[in-house]
Amino acid sequence: MKTEVVEKKTDKTPMKKTISYIVLLLLVFLSAIMVVFQVFEYRHDYRELSSFMRERDDLNAEWGRLLIEQQTFGATAQIGTRAVTQLRMYSPPAAQTVVISLPMTPEDKK
């Protein structure tokens, strides 16, 4: 009787090994697929980050141009204010304004 019990135990051992190998093989394939998926996600996120950084750089450049434009318009008002206050310049009234017309040349008539 003891030999029969030993034979039954040895019959189950190769089956358990086969099942464990199959499970381990499936786990290895699953982990490989997950690695591929993670690399894909990383590349997608990096591409998106790069596009956001390009957009940020473009917006910063536009912001700089707008600041320069604002300073230019501010300088014009400042020049007018200084001309009136420091140099006492003013716009002459209509009575003091003289309009000079140049004679028309034949080229201007065309």
Side-chain angles (χ1 to χ4, degrees):
M1 270 195 153
K2 288 185 179 180
T3 57
E4 289 178 18
V5 173
V6 171
E7 287 179 15
K8 287 182 181 178
K9 286 183 179 179
T10 57
D11 288 339
K12 290 183 179 181
T13 305
M15 184 72 155
K16 286 182 181 180
K17 282 185 179 181
T18 304
I19 291 174
S20 65
Y21 286 143
I22 290 173
V23 168
L24 288 175
L25 189 63
L26 287 174
L27 289 175
V28 167
F29 280 128
L30 181 65
S31 68
I33 289 172
M34 292 305 292
V35 166
V36 169
F37 180 71
Q38 288 296 320
V39 168
F40 173 77
E41 285 291 319
Y42 169 76
R43 288 182 180 172
H44 180 267
D45 291 343
Y46 184 75
R47 200 173 311 128
E48 190 175 6
L49 173 68
S50 296
S51 69
F52 286 146
M53 290 178 76
R54 274 193 304 271
E55 184 178 356
R56 182 198 64 185
D57 292 341
D58 292 343
L59 290 173
N60 279 337
E62 184 178 354
W63 175 252
R65 287 191 296 272
L66 289 173
L67 285 177
I68 291 171
E69 185 177 344
Q70 181 185 21
Q71 290 171 354
T72 302
F73 287 134
T76 304
Q78 186 180 15
I79 290 171
T81 305
R82 283 189 178 181
V84 170
T85 58
Q86 292 177 356
L87 300 176
R88 296 185 182 137
M89 296 177 79
Y90 63 94
S91 296
Q96 293 180 352
T97 304
V98 177
V99 178
I100 300 173
S101 327
L102 296 175
M104 297 277 292
T105 61
E107 293 176 1
D108 293 336
K109 290 181 183 179
K110 293 180 182 179

